[in-house]
Amino acid sequence: MTADLLFLLVLVELFRLLIIYLQEQRVSIGVAVEVCIASVLREVIVRGVLEAPWVQILSTGAFLLVLGVLLVVRVWLPPTFEGIDPERRMASRKRNLSDHESVSQPLEVNRF
């Protein structure tokens, strides 16, 4: 029963990640890391710590440590897409290039 509850928790976190993505058009690093932590801990609980080899427990602990560091470090990361509209930037770059080309090359007139 514990495995089913933990699996339900992972699904709820994934659904939360999907809602954030659909609303804000970005993936939340914090929620993604929380989903990873919950799923790893679920697997450890389901399989049992005493039955797993020591190398697997050591690597799982290292993985959880890295995820924890990422969860702490994400606080200092600047928001990536705040105020950035890539389509507008590409359109203005294209417009600037076309304006520059039109100024540098004179127009040709077809005479009949």
Side-chain angles (χ1 to χ4, degrees):
M1 181 165 166
T2 305
D4 293 335
L5 288 175
L6 291 173
F7 181 69
L8 187 63
L9 175 69
V10 170
L11 287 180
V12 167
E13 291 292 322
L14 284 173
F15 188 69
R16 190 174 101 182
L17 184 65
L18 177 67
I19 288 173
I20 290 172
Y21 175 73
L22 291 176
Q23 286 179 346
E24 301 178 13
Q25 299 299 314
R26 68 178 183 89
V27 175
S28 174
I29 295 174
V31 176
V33 170
E34 289 171 5
V35 168
C36 289
I37 290 172
S39 62
V40 167
L41 289 177
R42 177 197 176 274
E43 287 299 317
V44 168
I45 290 172
V46 168
R47 290 189 183 185
V49 177
L50 299 177
E51 297 173 5
W54 68 272
V55 175
Q56 187 176 11
I57 297 299
L58 187 65
S59 61
T60 303
F63 182 65
L64 287 174
L65 183 67
V66 168
L67 288 176
V69 167
L70 184 61
L71 198 59
V72 171
V73 168
R74 76 172 170 89
V75 174
W76 292 294
L77 292 176
T80 307
F81 296 110
E82 187 172 312
I84 296 176
D85 188 6
E87 292 177 1
R88 186 182 311 157
R89 290 178 73 189
M90 290 302 292
S92 66
R93 184 180 298 163
K94 215 175 204 185
R95 190 175 335 113
N96 289 340
L97 285 175
S98 65
D99 289 345
H100 180 68
E101 287 176 1
S102 65
V103 169
S104 64
Q105 296 177 354
L107 292 175
E108 295 181 15
V109 178
N110 291 333
R111 297 182 188 181
F112 287 95

